[in-house]
Amino acid sequence: MSGGTRRAIAAGCRYDRPVTDADLPSFPPGFAWGVATAAYQIEGAVTADGRGESVWDTFCRRPGAIRDGHTGDVADDHYHRWPEDVALMATLGIDTYRFSLAWPRIQPTGSGAVNQIGLDFYDRLVDSLVANGITPMPTLFHWDLPQPLEDAGGWLSRDTAYRFADFAGIAATRLADRVPLWITLNEPFVVTALGYALGVHAPGQALMLGALPTAHHQLLGHGLALAALRAVGAHQVTITNSYAPAWAASDSPADVAAATAYDTLHNRLYTDPVLLGRYPDLAPLGLGPAGLDCVRDGDLETISAPVDALGVNYYAPTLLAAPQDAALPFQLQPITGYPVTAFGNPVVPAGLTELLTSLASRYGDRLPPVYITENGCSFDDEPDAAGQVDDRQRISYLDGHIRAVADAMAAGVDVRGYLVWSLLDNFEWAEGYHQRFGLVHVDYGTLRRTPKASFGWYRELIAGQPRRSG
Ligand code: IFM
């Protein structure tokens, strides 16, 4: 289909096509098209059916922590409305749904006793997905650490890695027969950076580089969980990291050094140990080997056990300059000259191609097949007088980024799937409900779901792609 202003009605939503004149390239049969969500951001029902408390329940009650004092108490009430949400996914025509399991729903204190009702919830969800021809892709940890584990040291404590492996084994024992690909952790960089270094996410600790042990303990948790998953017959396992091309603000050695430091911290620290079995040189961060003196003999072997894929989350590149003060070895700069999302992220689709090709050249044949496990944008989407949500900026964003994936594939990168963040507008962490990332608008007063124009656009895109055989 080419340019023009073809109007389509899909699943009750209207959109004007296209944003660009060229057809989207055709992706290989079997390429996974999907959407992603996370438990705390959509489920609500935080005290239902024996769920324990997570660090996010606690953090949301800290005055000033979350914009306008929002909490995940209700969120999208997906815990009760999941049949409607699965029906939306079926209408969308996706073949893969990435979601996360709430650890405190399954193991309320983070260790010991299992809450069968919590497991039953995910069991029903997985059954329903499979019945609708949608492959479940669960993430085991998307930030909602059980509060009792945080009270015992959280990811600063090595023991948390072992508790996480226990949890992984419990979940997979119940679900592995219907789950082809498991994700251990989501974006451990963000947990370390925002949760333990800067204190703007749960658990709200501001340890700066003193947060580094949380990097190692999460990675150890990944490795131990991977072994636990394999032990109970899980098929394929991966980890999802966030990545951001690190651009130097100028050619000056100081700015280039700042970009290298940020690249080490964001793009290498959580990937080199998994794919190469070693930590990157921490010297750009001003740290010697003692910066990670929590690493014990054998840990890196555990962490680097082969994964079947790499989950890649991409939103935007980062621009770095030499620091003004000594707290960190870099300073983030605004990127100008691009459209921006409501979050202030520059819209740079070529950054995704750059990222994927640089991962391929950095890791060579150690790089497993890649899934884009998150990509998306927030805008201030609201229904118009006719009840339609005309989010053409999102369509433009997704169109550009899907083409960027195709460009990387044409350059030889083995990408197996693309998942939009997110199915629904949802709780965006410290931003509360202010950032709307969904293909589906949620009215937080009534919880009514309204597919946006991008929903219809994505539906048609998927319908036009070759399907999986068999
Ligand atoms: O909403 C988050 C998600 O939980 C993790 N990756 C980035 C998204 C958008 O900020």
Side-chain angles (χ1 to χ4, degrees):
M1 182 187 321
S2 60
T5 51
R6 188 158 64 88
R7 174 156 294 189
I9 307 290
C13 69
R14 190 187 69 202
Y15 67 96
D16 293 314
R17 262 197 88 177
V19 178
T20 62
D21 283 326
D23 276 346
L24 270 175
S26 192
F27 285 71
F31 188 89
W33 294 101
V35 293
T37 65
Y40 191 74
Q41 296 180 267
I42 63 167
E43 285 182 2
V46 292
T47 56
D49 296 335
R51 179 187 178 279
E53 202 174 34
S54 81
V55 291
W56 274 95
D57 298 302
T58 311
F59 190 64
C60 286
R61 281 173 175 73
R62 183 189 283 193
I66 312 292
R67 201 167 151 195
D68 288 341
H70 292 167
T71 75
D73 288 1
V74 177
D76 295 335
D77 196 30
H78 170 80
Y79 186 73
H80 296 113
R81 293 167 195 250
W82 64 268
E84 182 183 355
D85 296 336
V86 173
L88 280 165
M89 290 184 239
T91 303
L92 187 55
I94 55 168
D95 42 51
T96 301
Y97 174 46
R98 174 178 178 233
F99 57 101
S100 78
L101 308 180
W103 187 349
R105 221 179 261 300
I106 293 175
Q107 257 188 319
T109 62
S111 57
V114 174
N115 178 29
Q116 293 299 336
I117 310 179
L119 264 180
D120 292 346
F121 168 70
Y122 295 108
D123 198 65
R124 283 193 298 273
L125 176 64
V126 164
D127 271 350
S128 172
L129 291 168
V130 172
N132 281 282
I134 300 168
T135 301
M137 187 188 278
T139 304
L140 286 159
F141 180 68
H142 198 126
W143 306 353
D144 43 0
L145 189 73
Q147 183 61 42
L149 292 186
E150 180 57 32
D151 296 340
W155 289 111
L156 290 164
S157 163
R158 185 178 173 90
D159 187 61
T160 298
Y162 291 89
R163 302 289 69 77
F164 179 58
D166 292 346
F167 164 60
I170 291 163
T173 298
R174 183 73 171 270
L175 305 174
D177 57 336
R178 287 151 288 160
V179 168
L181 177 63
W182 290 84
I183 299 171
T184 54
L185 306 176
N186 179 69
E187 300 181 354
F189 165 77
V190 175
V191 173
T192 300
L194 301 191
Y196 288 91
L198 299 174
V200 297
H201 274 193
Q205 300 205 45
L207 305 172
M208 301 308 275
L209 289 175
L212 273 182
T214 67
H216 181 62
H217 294 147
Q218 287 183 86
L219 287 170
L220 181 62
H222 155 78
L224 294 168
L226 187 150
L229 290 164
R230 300 249 192 256
V232 298
H235 300 287
Q236 299 198 324
V237 182
T238 185
I239 181 173
T240 278
N241 282 316
S242 63
Y243 296 95
W247 295 349
S250 77
D251 291 339
S252 78
D255 287 350
V256 171
T260 303
Y262 190 82
D263 188 44
T264 302
L265 199 58
H266 193 154
N267 297 320
R268 299 194 79 132
L269 188 63
Y270 301 85
T271 308
D272 286 14
V274 174
L275 299 185
L276 304 179
R278 60 172 185 266
Y279 276 103
D281 179 8
L282 298 181
L285 296 167
L287 294 170
L292 278 168
D293 59 5
C294 56
V295 180
R296 296 196 190 160
D297 286 351
D299 285 0
L300 281 159
E301 284 74 20
T302 302
I303 292 168
S304 61
V307 286
D308 304 288
L310 179 67
V312 168
N313 291 357
Y314 170 80
Y315 288 87
T318 320
L319 189 68
L320 291 313
Q324 301 292 319
D325 62 52
L328 287 169
F330 50 75
Q331 186 168 295
L332 274 69
Q333 302 281 303
I335 295 179
T336 54
Y338 296 90
V340 288
T341 68
F343 226 148
N345 286 334
V347 179
V348 189
L352 180 51
T353 313
E354 177 188 333
L355 165 64
L356 292 168
T357 53
S358 68
L359 285 171
S361 56
R362 177 170 284 175
Y363 296 110
D365 59 12
R366 302 284 189 96
L367 182 70
V370 167
Y371 285 85
I372 309 301
T373 41
E374 286 182 28
N375 176 237
C377 51
S378 59
F379 291 105
D380 297 328
D381 311 312
E382 289 301 339
D384 61 21
Q388 310 286 342
V389 184
D390 181 8
D391 61 339
R392 62 188 67 192
Q393 290 169 290
R394 178 168 293 98
I395 295 174
S396 173
Y397 180 101
L398 297 177
D399 180 283
H401 285 77
I402 289 169
R403 288 174 198 279
V405 173
D407 289 346
M409 292 170 75
V413 186
D414 183 2
V415 186
R416 301 284 176 91
Y418 175 89
L419 313 188
V420 174
W421 183 271
S422 181
L423 173 68
L424 304 167
D425 291 341
N426 60 47
F427 177 77
E428 179 54 31
W429 309 113
E431 285 288 300
Y433 295 98
H434 289 287
Q435 303 295 336
R436 293 183 174 273
F437 275 90
L439 297 174
V440 177
H441 178 273
V442 176
D443 178 323
Y444 294 117
T446 62
L447 297 172
R448 179 160 190 263
R449 277 91 161 123
T450 303
K452 304 178 189 176
S454 58
F455 181 100
W457 174 86
Y458 194 43
R459 179 177 187 257
E460 185 164 321
L461 182 151
I462 294 170
Q465 294 293 324
R467 305 304 288 181
R468 221 180 277 260
S469 54

